[in-house]
């Protein structure tokens, strides 16, 4: 971009003419300088190509810069709006205007991207920014389309309020839309396209989604899309666009169900468009495409009969029955097509509004004006003149008339009116005031919209021609209205049902064909009833059939436009005037096309106003409040705002011709003067900031000084206290030393006297008394430690053992340190007896004992203390065991057996850490066992200790096996056949001599015995009848009836080897026996007096048959284990 190309601000042109403005635009356009100022208004040319004027570097260049410091750019307007909102707490609004294809949508995107880039950066703010920016692709997909003038034309108006908190961080937004061109859904002009989303869905969705929506990829298969004979856009990939739209919907956190509903609605519209009608033999309306009807009905969530009914019939109230009943009246094919298209338009319009509502919900916008500032962005349709202009063009151009009127009021007219009010002399400028055209269209009684609504509501036969007649009758004399009555020489108006309006942008002919129907925008009662019964789209049709007539589309649009204008008036406006240099041809500048746009945008009038007037104006009180620091006379306060303003300008030495004083405001002529004042303010702000910083730092330093002084006083007090304490300690120690020495002197003197009087044996008595004293101290400390430990006796903090501890009395036991390992039984302390002298033998014995006791006091005292601690722990452990439940005690006893005897088994830890419940049978087996109990056991009073399913291995050939149910009682071990419930083996516990297991993770247990056992294949009843098993108890011993022991029993209990073997081991032990336990890799067992071997081998992948005969060994079998 050439910065010196042309003039960057039209105000600086030497001559203000239309030709000079066009020439300046052309020069700058050729140099890629597409932006030019008119004061604070930016004029933007659409280059129809990519230009290097955007990005992070350009954003940094414009951030915080004054409007005239940098080249003209949308970034400068955006930065000015953002800073004005922050500095002055004023709501802002940017109005983007221009005709279709001028780049309004792209300009609004550039504006929003800059605001998003310069606002505060936090994770939450970035999340809000992403949702705001990603709302644009969603709305463009559903609301934009390719037209003859623009490949991405907005077919709806959009106003977005971006909301900020007091720190300038985006917090949310609200989007308002205006007049979606729903007629494009059913009838796009030749060479144009329907809305983008239709083509994106067909080309970008995957096959599964298309199959779910009953769609095909071919555009030609759908009537609504093939009419215009245009289905592509140059340099646009619809497939990629669809992915971007889906990604954008996810970024705004749209629910999956909502996305699915939107796509189903789009697909349903395509299927509805394929429904065609034909006239039947009896004049009825028949469907020509049933498949399309069924697909549409399925997607809409209604029955195909209901959809057919609403398309081929209409409901009419029965006047004979006071309108309480309705009559179904059949439609002809043309009427059915009209009903079909009406349903498609209504469904698409409501889907679009539903999308906008969902986006607003996820943008977290609020309507509370007190809690936020906003920057509004208005991107609305440009002025349109088509080959055939209808109802939509009428409303679009009415919108542009309103915006032009607003621009005139806010710039040209307000400028002149303000100068007049402030008594500022300047040259009057004539301009085109389009208020009369706006009144012609929107007047509540005589406006075109009022006549249109009146015809729509009037009973009887009304047509578009009756509407035209009424408008011609009432507006024939209006200077901006022409029709066949007042333009008799105009062939076009005479030959067609149309009227002409003289807009500010030029004359436009409007065909009234379809005005009434499009203005009504109502659904038929039959269609409304059918859609209210939809399982997917009923929420989009909340109105009740037969309720009050809703407002017409034109009235709704007029109301929304008036609300929009009032909203903009409350904000500080900024303008971006977009121009189209050519018809989508990069690098081409069509002077006539640009001239026409400059005329209806009022570019020349805007330049003349800025050139003749003042660039800046501000109320005296506001000027004084902002710039009072620039004069010593006005800082910090001044009473008279006007006099204070004069003093400030005088002190700044501003030339008198550069400003003027009005009644309430001061006016600055050139932007450079204002920039000079702002620079002086910024410089002075730095000086004030330095002064404030100095005052603040002084306050902080004084505060720190006071805190340090308080700390110093405290330190001094502590130092004096420490010094005094040390001095007192020295004096006290000296006093104690003196008194100790004196007492020592007295004691030694007394001892010397006593030595002459007391016999020698008194020393032993004194030693015993001393040791007793030390022992009492230790015992009291031990008792205190035991009381403190309480239940935590395992972690008792045993006291330090003092030296010289004597005999410790504990019950009837005396602990003599150093004598016989620290223990000797006696009834009282050794030496007994008072102060009487002992006889010779006893005296020598006592002296010998005392020598032994005192000779090893240190080590012996420690051993005595250890003995006492062990006695204490054993006593506490005994009390702990007695307090336990019987079940817990048995569990602990069983765990101890596992820990002591089975630690060589790899699975012993599982038995320790798992609590065993004994019974491992299912409920059905348990019930059967209870039923057979009295026929199985020796004594019916026996209880089961453990029960489980096992596998008995054959003694001769362990590769063979048989299933068993094994249960253990306190008397015997029983094996039962689970199929016949035959009692197979009964082994009395008294006959079990030893158990054998391997050290591995297998479940094989070998039970060895030398006595007798039962081993029968008969059933339980047979055994009982023969009395082969007799009760085994103290009163009845029937071991003689048991069959001889055939050999050791081999059981495979799988994963419960440790649990089962330990249980059996413990129960045999309870029979006053001490069974042997063999844990080895080779287990020997006896069969009929002959020894056999099971050898265990570890393998990484053992075969299915894990027991096999050893090669070369006759009675040896190999067991493969993990």
């Amino acid at each position: 971009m050439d910065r010196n190309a042309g003039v960057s601000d039209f105000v600086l042109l030497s001559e203000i003419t239309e030709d000079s403005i066009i020439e300046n635009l052309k020069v700058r356009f050729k140099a890629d300088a597409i932006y030019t100022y008119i004061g604070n208004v930016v004029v933007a040319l659409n280059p129809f190509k990519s230009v290097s004027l955007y990005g992070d570097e350009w954003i940094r260049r414009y951030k915080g810069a004054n409007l005239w410091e940098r080249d003209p750019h949308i970034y400068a307007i955006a930065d000015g709006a953002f800073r004005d909102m922050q500095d002055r707490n004023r709501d802002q609004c940017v109005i983007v205007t221009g005709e279709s294809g001028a780049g309004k949508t792209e300009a609004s995107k550039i504006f929003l991207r800059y605001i998003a880039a310069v606002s505060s950066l936090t994770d939450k703010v970035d999340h809000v920014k992403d949702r705001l920016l990603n709302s644009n692709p969603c709305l463009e997909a559903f609301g934009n389309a390719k037209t003859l003038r623009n490949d991405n034309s907005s077919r709806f108006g959009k106003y977005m309020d971006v909301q900020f908190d007091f720190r300038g961080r985006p917090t949310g937004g609200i989007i308002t839309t205006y007049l979606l061109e729903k007629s494009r859904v059913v009838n796009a002009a030749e060479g144009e396209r329907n809305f983008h989303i239709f083509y994106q869905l067909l080309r970008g969705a995957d096959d599964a989604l298309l199959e779910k929506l009953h769609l095909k990829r071919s555009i030609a298969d759908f009537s609504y899309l093939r009419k215009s004979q245009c289905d592509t856009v140059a340099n646009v990939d619809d497939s990629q666009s669809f992915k971007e739209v889906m990604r954008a919907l996810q970024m705004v956190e749209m629910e999956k169900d909502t996305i699915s509903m939107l796509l189903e609605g789009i697909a349903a519209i395509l299927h509805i468009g394929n429904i065609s009608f034909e006239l039947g033999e009896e004049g009825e309306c028949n469907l020509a495409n049933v498949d399309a009807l069924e697909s549409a009905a399925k997607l809409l969530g209604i029955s195909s009969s209901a959809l057919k009914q609403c398309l081929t019939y209409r409901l009419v109230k029965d006047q004979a029955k006071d309108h309480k009943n309705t009559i179904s009246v059949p439609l002809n094919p043309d009427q059915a097509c009209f009903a079909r298209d009406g349903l498609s338009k209504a469904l698409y319009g409501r889907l679009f509004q539903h999308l906008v509502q969902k986006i607003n919900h996820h943008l977290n916008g609020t309507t509370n004006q007190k809690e936020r500032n906003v920057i509004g962005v208005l991107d609305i349709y440009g002025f349109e003149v088509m080959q055939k202009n209808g109802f939509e063009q009428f409303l679009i151009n009415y919108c542009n008339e309103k915006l032009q009127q607003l621009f005139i009021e806010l710039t040209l007219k307000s400028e002149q009116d303000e100068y007049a009010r402030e008594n500022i002399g300047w040259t009057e400028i004539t301009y085109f005031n389009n208020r009369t055209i706006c009144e012609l269209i929107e007047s509540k009684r005589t406006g075109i919209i009022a006549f249109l609504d009146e015809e729509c509501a009037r009973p009887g036969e009304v047509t578009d021609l009756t509407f035209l007649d009424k408008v011609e009758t009432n507006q024939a004399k209006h200077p901006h209205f022409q029709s066949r009555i007042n333009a008799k020489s105009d062939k076009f108006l005479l030959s067609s049902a149309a009227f002409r309006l003289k807009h500010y942008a030029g004359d436009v002919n409007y065909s009234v064909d379809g005005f009434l129907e499009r203005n009504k925008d109502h659904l038929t009662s039959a269609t409304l009833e059918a859609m209210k019964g939809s399982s997917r789209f009923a929420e989009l049709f909340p109105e009740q059939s037969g309720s009050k007539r809703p407002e017409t589309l034109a009235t709704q649009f007029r109301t929304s436009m008036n609300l929009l204008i009032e909203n903009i008036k409350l904000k500080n406006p900024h303008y971006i005037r977009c121009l189209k240099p050519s018809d989508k041809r990069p690098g081409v500048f069509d002077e006539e096309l640009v001239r026409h746009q400059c005329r209806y945008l009022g570019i020349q009038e805007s330049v003349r106003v800025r050139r003749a007037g003042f660039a800046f104006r501000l109320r005296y009180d506001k000027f004084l409040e902002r710039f009072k620091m620039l004069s010593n006379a006005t800082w910090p306060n001044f009473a008279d705002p006007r006099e204070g303003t004069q003093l400030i300008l005088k002190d700044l030495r501003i030339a008198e011709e550069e400003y003027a004083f009005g009644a309430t405001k001061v006016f600055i002529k050139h932007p450079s003067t204002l920039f000079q004042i702002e620079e002086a303010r910024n410089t002075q702000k730095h000086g004030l900031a330095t002064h404030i910083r100095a005052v603040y730092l002084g306050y902080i330093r004084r505060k720190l000084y006071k805190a340090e002084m308080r700390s110093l006083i405290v330190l001094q007090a502590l130092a004096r206290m420490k010094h005094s304490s040390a001095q007192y300690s020295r004096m006290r120690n000296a006093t104690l030393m003196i008194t100790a020495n004196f007492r020592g002197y007295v004691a030694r003197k007394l001892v010397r006297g006593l030595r002459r009087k007391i016999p020698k044996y008194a020393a032993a008595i004194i030693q015993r008394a001393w040791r007793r004293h030390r022992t009492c101290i230790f015992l009291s400390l031990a008792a205190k430690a035991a009381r403190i430990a309480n239940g935590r006796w395992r972690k008792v903090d045993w006291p330090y053992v003092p030296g010289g501890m004597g005999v410790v009395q504990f019950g009837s036991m005396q602990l003599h340190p150093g004598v016989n390992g620290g223990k000797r039984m006696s009834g009282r302390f050794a030496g007994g007896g008072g102060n009487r002298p002992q006889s010779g033998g006893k005296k020598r014995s006592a002296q010998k004992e005392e020598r032994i006791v005192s000779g090893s006091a240190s080590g012996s005292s420690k051993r005595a203390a250890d003995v006492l601690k062990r006695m204490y722990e054993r006593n506490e452990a005994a009390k702990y065991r007695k307090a336990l439940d019987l079940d817990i005690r048995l569990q602990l006893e069983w765990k101890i057996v596992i820990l002591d005897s089975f630690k060589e088994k790899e699975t012993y830890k599982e038995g320790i850490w798992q609590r065993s419940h004994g019974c491992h049978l299912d409920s059905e087996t348990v019930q059967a066992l209870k039923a057979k109990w009295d026929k199985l056991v020796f004594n019916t009073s026996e209880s089961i200790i453990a029960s489980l399913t096992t596998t008995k291995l054959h003694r001769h050939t362990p590769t063979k096996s048989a299933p068993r149910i094994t249960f253990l009682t306190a008397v015997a071990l029983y094996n039962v056949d689970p199929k016949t419930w035959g009692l197979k083996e009964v082994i009395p516990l008294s006959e079990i001599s030893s158990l054998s297991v391997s050290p591995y993770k297998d479940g094989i247990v070998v039970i060895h015995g030398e006595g007798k056992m039962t081993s029968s294949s008969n059933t339980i009843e047979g055994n009982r009848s023969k009395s082969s098993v007799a009760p085994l108890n103290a009163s009845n011993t029937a071991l003689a009836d048991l069959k001889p022991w055939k050999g050791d029993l081999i059981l495979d209990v799988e994963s419960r080897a440790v649990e089962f073997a330990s249980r059996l081991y413990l129960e045999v032990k309870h029979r006053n026996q001490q069974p042997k336990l063999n844990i080895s890799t080779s287990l020997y067992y006896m069969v009929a007096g002959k020894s056999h071997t099971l050898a265990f081998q570890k393998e990484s992948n053992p075969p299915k048959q894990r027991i096999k005969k050893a090669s070369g060994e006759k009675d040896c079998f190999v067991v493969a284990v993990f």
Side-chain angles (χ1 to χ4, degrees):
M1 181 183 70
D2 186 1
R3 302 186 59 179
N4 298 320
V7 177
S8 62
D9 193 333
F10 287 118
V11 176
L12 303 178
L13 288 172
S14 59
E15 184 181 2
I16 306 300
T17 63
E18 189 176 84
D19 291 336
S20 62
I21 292 174
I22 301 299
E23 182 61 27
N24 188 58
L25 285 172
K26 183 177 181 180
V27 171
R28 291 182 62 78
F29 178 76
K30 294 298 183 182
D32 285 340
I34 60 175
Y35 299 117
T36 309
Y37 285 142
I38 306 175
N40 58 355
V41 178
V42 64
V43 178
L45 287 164
N46 189 350
F48 294 110
K49 65 178 182 179
S50 298
V51 290
S52 57
L53 297 176
Y54 314 103
D56 295 339
E57 180 60 33
W58 286 83
I59 290 174
R60 285 192 293 270
R61 185 180 303 178
Y62 281 87
K63 183 178 180 181
N66 195 280
L67 184 68
W68 296 279
E69 286 185 66
R70 300 283 186 263
D71 293 328
H73 204 292
I74 293 178
Y75 285 170
I77 298 296
D79 188 76
F82 184 72
R83 284 195 294 150
D84 191 73
M85 179 195 70
Q86 284 189 299
D87 295 345
R88 303 187 181 184
N89 198 29
R90 293 194 301 178
D91 291 345
Q92 308 293 313
C93 177
V94 58
I95 303 172
V96 187
T97 57
E99 71 172 41
S100 179
K104 301 185 301 301
T105 300
E106 191 62 31
S108 64
K109 290 181 186 178
I110 295 170
F111 183 90
L112 288 173
R113 279 197 290 265
Y114 182 86
I115 295 296
V118 300
S119 54
S120 301
L121 297 177
T122 65
D123 292 341
K124 183 177 180 181
V125 170
D126 288 342
H127 186 57
V128 174
K129 292 177 185 177
D130 290 339
R131 285 184 291 180
L132 287 170
L133 295 178
N134 280 284
S135 65
N136 277 325
C138 304
L139 295 177
E140 286 185 13
F142 285 83
N144 287 24
K146 177 187 181 301
T147 64
L148 296 175
R149 297 185 177 184
N150 187 1
D151 289 342
N152 189 33
S153 176
S154 297
R155 307 318 299 162
F156 70 103
K158 179 181 70 175
Y159 177 77
M160 174 186 285
D161 265 338
V162 183
Q163 301 171 353
F164 299 83
D165 61 11
F166 68 97
R167 297 179 181 177
R169 299 181 300 188
T171 59
I174 297 178
I175 298 174
T176 306
T177 59
Y178 305 95
L179 190 63
L180 177 69
E181 188 187 9
K182 295 182 290 185
S183 61
R184 181 173 292 273
V185 174
V186 300
N187 188 20
E190 185 176 351
E192 298 185 353
R193 291 207 318 175
N194 212 315
F195 291 102
H196 293 327
I197 188 62
F198 291 104
Y199 307 93
Q200 293 171 355
L201 174 61
L202 294 178
R203 289 179 173 144
D206 56 35
D207 294 337
L209 179 58
L210 291 180
E211 183 178 357
K212 176 183 176 182
L213 300 177
H214 310 288
L215 296 175
K216 298 179 180 179
R217 292 201 184 274
S218 176
I219 304 296
D221 288 341
F222 301 99
S223 176
Y224 282 160
L225 304 183
R226 63 173 177 260
K227 289 181 181 179
S228 64
Q229 300 179 0
C230 178
D231 60 1
T232 58
V233 179
N235 301 321
V236 174
D237 184 357
D238 289 319
S239 176
Q240 183 63 29
S241 298
F242 180 76
K243 296 177 182 178
E244 293 174 358
V245 171
M246 292 298 103
R247 191 180 305 113
L249 288 171
Q250 293 175 357
M251 290 297 295
V252 297
E253 299 181 356
M254 194 71 67
E255 299 84 354
K256 291 183 179 179
D257 185 65
T258 301
I259 297 174
S260 177
M261 185 180 74
L262 292 172
L263 297 181
E264 288 173 3
I266 296 300
I269 291 171
L270 292 176
H271 290 300
I272 292 172
N274 283 348
I275 299 175
S276 57
F277 307 93
E278 59 186 8
L279 188 64
E281 296 179 356
E282 298 180 1
E284 74 279 6
C285 180
N286 294 329
L287 294 176
N289 190 344
V290 179
D291 293 339
L293 176 75
E294 292 178 351
S295 298
K298 185 175 181 180
L299 291 170
L300 291 176
I302 61 176
S303 63
S304 56
S305 59
L307 180 58
K308 178 181 178 181
Q309 182 74 13
C310 75
L311 295 180
T312 57
Y313 290 86
R314 63 186 177 93
L315 299 179
V316 179
K317 292 184 178 180
D318 189 357
Q319 298 182 1
K321 297 184 179 180
D322 298 331
H323 302 277
K324 293 183 179 180
N325 297 331
T326 58
I327 301 173
S328 296
V329 179
L331 303 176
N332 60 39
D334 291 339
Q335 293 173 333
C337 290
F338 187 80
R340 175 199 65 193
D341 293 345
L343 173 59
S344 299
K345 292 188 291 184
L347 179 58
Y348 191 85
R350 296 179 189 225
L351 284 173
F352 184 76
Q353 289 301 322
H354 186 67
L355 171 65
V356 174
Q357 292 172 5
K358 287 292 184 179
I359 291 176
N360 283 336
H361 172 72
H362 292 294
L363 290 180
N364 297 323
T366 177
T367 57
N368 191 342
Q369 293 281 350
K370 296 181 179 180
E371 296 183 358
R372 43 86 176 169
N373 287 113
V374 302
I375 295 179
V377 180
L378 177 63
D379 174 14
I380 206 162
Y381 355 75
F383 196 87
E384 287 191 353
V385 181
M386 304 292 185
Q387 187 174 1
K388 181 181 179 180
N389 301 291
F391 180 71
E392 285 79 8
Q393 282 69 40
F394 171 73
L395 293 182
I396 288 173
N397 293 340
Y398 160 63
C399 169
N400 281 270
E401 288 285 357
K402 293 288 291 182
L403 293 177
Q404 180 65 13
Q405 180 187 4
L406 176 67
F407 179 74
I408 291 172
E409 290 179 359
L410 295 181
T411 55
L412 305 181
K413 187 175 183 303
S414 62
E415 192 88 3
Q416 294 187 15
D417 291 346
E418 185 174 18
Y419 290 150
R421 288 195 306 270
E422 296 291 332
N423 297 322
I424 301 295
W426 76 314
T427 304
E428 191 76 18
I429 297 175
T430 59
Y431 58 87
F432 177 79
N433 191 341
N434 63 340
R435 178 181 292 276
T436 57
I437 301 177
C438 294
E439 291 178 351
L440 169 65
I441 297 173
E442 68 179 4
S443 177
K444 292 187 177 180
R445 293 187 177 182
T446 60
I448 295 176
I449 293 178
F451 293 136
L452 184 60
D453 291 348
E454 185 178 335
E455 286 298 297
C456 290
R458 184 168 64 85
E461 185 178 355
V462 291
T463 63
D464 295 326
L465 291 178
T466 60
F467 158 68
L468 180 60
D469 291 339
K470 179 168 287 190
V471 176
E472 288 176 340
T473 302
N474 290 275
Q475 301 292 351
K477 296 182 180 180
H478 197 284
H480 296 282
F481 178 84
Q482 284 184 334
S483 67
R484 55 192 175 184
I485 294 179
N486 56 5
K488 296 182 180 180
S489 60
D490 193 307
K491 294 182 180 180
F492 173 78
L493 294 178
L494 291 174
S495 61
S496 59
F499 63 90
R500 179 181 298 145
L501 292 182
K502 295 184 177 181
H503 291 283
Y504 73 95
D507 296 349
V508 181
N509 298 323
Y510 297 101
S511 173
V512 298
D513 184 23
F515 260 56
L516 293 181
E517 289 298 334
R518 294 180 181 178
N519 186 45
K520 290 178 182 178
D521 195 34
H522 297 163
L523 284 174
T524 64
S525 298
T527 303
L528 185 59
E529 288 297 327
M531 294 306 297
K532 287 177 66 65
S534 170
S535 61
R536 290 291 287 163
F537 300 96
E539 62 177 308
L540 303 184
F541 297 85
E543 61 266 38
Q544 299 292 331
S545 60
S547 59
K548 183 179 178 181
R549 183 189 300 272
E551 286 187 339
T552 62
L553 185 59
T555 299
Q556 295 176 23
F557 188 71
R558 178 182 61 188
T559 303
S560 62
M561 281 295 102
N562 290 332
L563 291 175
L564 174 64
I565 297 303
E566 293 301 321
N567 185 21
I568 294 175
K569 287 182 179 180
L570 298 175
K571 297 176 172 58
N572 183 38
H574 305 268
Y575 292 93
I576 301 175
R577 315 290 272 181
C578 296
L579 300 176
K580 181 170 63 173
S582 64
D583 292 330
K584 300 188 290 188
R585 290 176 293 172
V588 177
F589 189 88
D590 188 338
E591 293 188 13
E592 291 303 318
L593 180 61
V594 175
R595 189 185 304 275
H596 172 71
Q597 295 174 76
C598 288
R599 285 176 182 174
Y600 77 69
L601 288 175
I603 299 295
Q604 184 177 356
E605 288 81 0
S606 301
V607 176
R608 291 173 60 194
V609 169
R610 292 292 179 182
R611 180 72 172 268
F614 294 85
F616 178 78
R617 75 289 316 271
L618 196 65
R619 285 171 45 188
Y620 290 125
D621 56 343
K622 296 294 183 182
F623 187 91
L624 179 63
E625 181 182 356
R626 184 170 180 80
F627 300 108
K628 60 184 177 181
M629 74 282 294
L630 299 181
S631 174
N632 293 329
T634 58
W635 178 261
N637 296 302
F638 196 81
D640 188 358
R642 180 179 182 126
E643 184 180 352
T645 302
Q646 293 175 347
L647 290 173
I648 292 171
L649 295 175
K650 182 178 179 181
D651 289 348
L652 291 175
R653 297 180 182 180
I654 304 297
E656 294 184 359
E657 61 271 11
E658 288 294 324
Y659 59 87
F661 295 104
T664 61
K665 297 180 181 179
V666 59
F667 291 78
I668 307 298
K669 191 172 187 61
H670 293 108
S672 58
T673 304
L674 176 63
F675 181 69
Q676 178 183 349
I677 298 174
E678 288 287 349
E679 283 294 325
R681 179 176 180 270
N682 290 335
T683 303
Q684 189 65 19
K685 278 170 60 178
H686 289 299
L688 291 174
T690 303
H691 177 69
I692 294 172
R693 181 174 180 272
V695 173
Y696 176 73
L697 290 177
Y699 163 75
I700 293 297
R701 292 300 180 187
R702 285 190 296 274
K703 186 177 179 180
L704 291 175
Y705 170 75
K706 292 179 180 179
E708 290 176 354
M709 285 297 297
R710 288 193 296 269
S711 301
L712 182 60
I713 292 172
V714 171
L715 290 175
Q716 289 175 346
L718 291 174
R720 288 193 294 270
M721 180 185 70
K722 186 175 181 180
H723 176 73
S724 299
S725 298
Q727 187 176 5
Y728 167 77
S729 297
R730 288 194 297 272
M731 293 175 62
R732 183 175 181 276
N733 293 335
T735 302
L736 291 175
M737 183 174 292
I738 293 172
T739 56
N741 289 331
F742 177 75
R743 286 195 299 270
Y745 165 74
V746 172
R748 286 190 295 276
K749 184 178 179 181
L750 179 61
V751 168
R752 285 194 297 269
L754 290 175
R755 282 180 178 176
R756 293 191 294 268
K757 298 178 181 180
I758 298 176
K760 295 181 179 180
Y761 62 81
I765 297 174
I766 295 172
Q767 290 176 355
R768 282 198 299 272
W770 171 249
R771 286 194 292 273
R772 288 172 184 166
H773 171 69
R774 299 288 292 180
T775 302
C776 290
I777 293 175
F778 170 74
L779 292 177
S780 64
L781 293 176
K784 182 178 180 181
R787 285 194 300 272
I788 293 174
N790 199 3
R792 296 182 292 108
W793 52 271
R794 299 179 187 87
K795 299 182 179 179
V796 63
D797 188 10
W798 206 249
Y800 169 75
V801 180
M805 188 175 73
V807 178
V808 179
Q809 180 78 26
F810 194 82
S812 61
M813 178 182 289
Q814 289 183 348
L815 303 181
H816 293 262
V819 180
N820 295 329
K823 298 181 182 179
R824 192 180 71 180
M825 301 300 296
S826 177
R828 57 188 179 88
F829 288 137
N835 296 326
R836 295 193 306 269
Q838 298 177 348
S839 60
K842 292 182 178 179
K843 178 177 180 182
R844 287 192 297 272
S845 177
Q847 290 175 350
K848 181 179 179 181
E849 179 182 330
E850 292 305 326
R851 285 197 300 271
I852 294 173
V853 169
S854 61
S856 57
S858 177
S860 302
S861 299
K862 179 65 169 63
R863 287 193 297 274
D866 291 341
V867 171
L868 185 62
K869 182 178 179 182
R870 285 196 298 272
M871 294 173 63
Y872 162 75
E873 290 176 344
R874 289 175 181 174
N875 181 61
E876 292 296 326
K879 290 195 293 184
Y880 174 78
R881 288 195 302 273
K882 289 180 181 179
L884 293 176
D885 294 339
L886 179 60
D887 181 57
I888 297 178
R889 292 172 64 186
L890 293 176
Q891 287 282 336
L892 289 176
E893 186 178 6
W894 171 55
K895 302 290 185 183
I896 292 171
V897 169
I898 295 175
L899 186 61
D900 289 343
S901 303
F902 289 87
K903 63 174 64 177
E904 296 180 12
K905 182 80 172 169
E906 289 185 356
T907 57
Y908 87 99
K909 290 185 178 179
E910 298 177 2
I912 292 177
W913 298 115
Q914 294 180 357
R915 180 181 179 88
S916 174
H917 300 284
C919 181
H920 297 288
L921 301 178
D922 55 53
S923 58
E924 294 181 0
T925 307
V926 172
Q927 294 298 327
L929 183 61
K930 289 181 179 178
K932 307 290 184 179
W933 183 252
D934 57 344
K935 298 180 181 181
L936 291 175
V937 296
F938 288 121
N939 193 335
T940 55
S941 63
E942 296 180 39
S943 61
I944 297 177
I945 298 173
S947 59
L948 69 167
T949 59
T950 62
T951 302
K952 176 192 173 186
L953 303 183
H954 198 278
R955 298 181 182 88
H956 294 283
T957 310
T959 56
K960 299 179 180 180
S961 61
R964 292 287 185 268
I965 295 176
T966 302
F967 58 92
L968 174 66
T969 69
V971 176
L973 178 70
Y974 298 87
N975 270 345
V976 178
D977 188 343
K979 297 181 179 179
T980 63
W981 282 97
L983 187 60
K984 295 299 183 179
E985 293 90 18
V986 178
I987 307 176
L989 298 185
S990 59
E991 300 300 326
I992 297 176
S993 62
S994 61
L995 302 175
S996 294
V997 295
S998 77
Y1000 302 129
K1001 295 182 179 180
D1002 62 287
I1004 295 178
V1005 178
V1006 180
I1007 304 173
H1008 306 277
E1010 297 178 355
K1012 296 181 179 180
M1013 64 176 289
T1014 64
S1015 179
S1016 175
S1017 60
N1018 297 330
T1019 61
I1020 300 171
E1021 288 76 4
N1023 286 330
R1024 287 302 179 192
S1025 63
K1026 297 178 182 179
S1027 300
S1028 61
V1029 179
L1032 183 62
N1033 49 40
S1035 62
N1036 184 8
T1037 58
L1039 289 177
D1041 296 334
L1042 298 180
K1043 294 184 178 182
W1045 185 278
K1046 293 183 179 180
D1048 297 337
L1049 181 63
I1050 308 174
L1051 294 179
D1052 187 353
V1053 295
E1054 298 182 349
S1055 61
R1056 305 190 184 277
V1058 173
E1059 179 183 347
F1060 173 74
S1062 60
R1063 285 280 189 182
L1064 183 58
Y1065 180 88
L1066 186 61
E1067 291 303 319
V1068 173
K1069 188 177 180 181
H1070 286 166
R1071 303 287 294 181
N1072 296 322
Q1073 297 177 201
Q1074 187 63 37
K1076 296 180 181 180
L1077 178 64
N1078 176 36
I1079 301 179
S1080 175
T1081 58
S1082 295
L1083 303 184
Y1084 301 93
Y1085 62 94
M1086 302 298 294
V1087 179
K1090 191 174 182 180
S1091 176
H1092 291 66
T1093 305
L1094 285 178
F1096 292 81
Q1097 291 183 357
K1098 267 199 169 186
E1099 296 183 11
S1100 58
N1101 294 310
K1104 294 183 178 179
Q1105 185 64 30
R1106 63 191 188 104
I1107 302 177
K1108 61 182 178 179
K1109 187 172 181 61
S1111 60
E1113 298 289 339
K1114 182 178 179 181
D1115 297 321
C1116 180
F1117 295 87
V1118 178
V1119 183
V1121 296
F1122 286 101

